[in-house]
Amino acid sequence: MEIKVRINETDMLGHINHASYFTYMEEARLDFLRGLGMDVKDENFMIVLASATCDFIQQGYFGQSLEVQTTVKKIGTTSFTLGNDILEKESNELIAQGEVTVVYFDKENQKPTPLPAELKEQLQAHISPHNETKSS
């Protein structure tokens, strides 16, 4: 997913504000999941964010075009972990790396529930070759 850095996403020095990276990862995550045909919520289930981290490798600036690449890092019983590489598009240099873990959540019972087999299969097709599927 390509993102053009907007002025409101920067600090007074023109650097991308740290919070903006989490927004970029969220946009890429939702785009990735929609590409799999998944709704992030329906009347019975939703996915909820359990963890989000980001390592800031180098500075990004207003006006840059970024590419956010999303891969599946791990698939569990009730959750999965996605990785994001945020690259400066022109140079292909790594700006930041993030990771999020999301849980498949039963709204009625208010607790995690096993991922549907179809979703697991779709995620497996996108797992990074450097990562293993978790079986529990």
Side-chain angles (χ1 to χ4, degrees), residues 90-109:
E90 189 175 312
S91 68
N92 208 36
E93 289 186 26
L94 186 64
I95 301 289
Q97 280 187 309
E99 185 174 291
V100 297
T101 299
V102 293
V103 176
Y104 195 66
F105 197 77
D106 181 325
K107 291 198 283 190
E108 182 178 334
N109 295 313

Side-chain angles (χ1 to χ4, degrees), residues 29-30 32-34 36 38-40 46-52 70-83 99-105 113-116 119-124 126-127 132-134 136:
R29 175 174 67 252
L30 294 174
F32 176 79
L33 293 173
R34 278 191 298 268
L36 296 180
M38 179 184 181
D39 288 324
V40 295
M46 64 183 172
I47 62 166
V48 294
L49 192 63
S51 174
T70 303
T71 59
V72 178
K73 296 187 84 167
K74 185 171 32 174
I75 305 167
T77 303
T78 61
S79 66
F80 55 94
T81 301
L82 300 176
E99 185 174 291
V100 297
T101 299
V102 293
V103 176
Y104 195 66
F105 197 77
T113 192
L115 296 168
L119 175 59
K120 278 184 139 177
E121 287 175 22
Q122 291 172 319
L123 291 168
Q124 185 64 44
H126 295 278
I127 198 155
E132 305 259 337
T133 302
K134 183 179 173 186
S136 59

